């Protein structure tokens, strides 16, 4: 038996341009630090309520995480979508009211599908 509930503590994305990817996620509202472990790849890391969110360089075409879909709860979906438009991010679905709250779906520069929700 588990004493504590299982929770997600790490999400790693691969990007062909980690600086450009970081710009996308900063626009969503995240704050990153540049980091590396020993002789490992330099990458960006962000801590969100106990979840470590990292953006690593994509090493090969087979090293893609582009089919990954995930989401963030944000303060203002409409405002963030407008800011993402300014940096030429793809808006998959415009903000609408849904059963989960105000919701939009966007795509980052590497093809990751990102759901944004405001409750």
């Amino acid at each position: 038996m588990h004493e504590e509930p299982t929770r997600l503590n790490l999400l790693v994305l691969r990007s062909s341009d980690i600086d450009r990817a970081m710009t996308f996620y900063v626009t969503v509202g995240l704050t990153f630090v540049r980091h590396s472990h020993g002789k490992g790849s330099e990458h960006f890391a962000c801590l969100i309520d106990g979840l470590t969110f990292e953006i690593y360089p994509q090493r090969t075409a087979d090293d893609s995480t582009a089919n990954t879909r995930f989401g963030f709860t944000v303060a203002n979906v409409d405002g963030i979508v407008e800011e993402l438009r300014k940096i030429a991010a793809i808006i998959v679905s415009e903000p609408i009211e849904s059963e989960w709250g105000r919701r939009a779906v966007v795509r980052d520069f590497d093809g990751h599908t990102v759901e944004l929700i405001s409750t």
Side-chain angles (χ1 to χ4, degrees):
M1 289 290 190
H2 300 282
E3 292 181 22
E4 292 185 31
T6 300
R7 64 181 177 87
L8 184 65
N9 73 328
L10 176 65
L11 175 62
V12 176
L13 298 183
R14 296 286 180 173
S15 175
S16 60
D17 183 339
I18 65 171
D19 291 302
R20 189 169 185 222
M22 188 264 313
T23 298
F24 177 92
Y25 291 101
V26 165
T27 303
V28 170
L30 304 180
T31 303
F32 290 88
V33 294
R34 195 175 286 269
H35 192 72
S36 65
H37 306 282
K39 294 181 181 180
S41 300
E42 190 171 80
H43 61 280
F44 288 107
C46 173
L47 187 60
I48 312 164
D49 291 331
L51 169 75
T52 300
F53 178 67
E54 296 178 318
I55 303 170
Y56 271 83
Q58 183 177 341
R59 298 173 295 221
T60 66
D62 293 336
D63 191 28
S64 175
T65 57
N67 290 325
T68 304
R69 180 180 177 131
F70 53 95
F72 296 102
T73 300
V74 298
N76 180 349
V77 168
D78 294 85
I80 289 173
V81 167
E82 287 311 310
E83 291 301 311
L84 289 170
R85 235 186 269 291
K86 291 177 186 176
I87 63 169
I90 296 169
I91 311 305
V92 176
S93 66
E94 295 290 336
I96 60 167
E97 292 302 323
S98 74
E99 62 186 281
W100 305 281
R102 189 93 175 138
R103 177 181 174 270
V105 178
V106 298
R107 191 162 294 126
D108 74 9
F109 302 122
D110 293 293
H112 301 103
T113 302
V114 182
E115 185 173 298
L116 304 171
I117 300 268
S118 289
T119 55

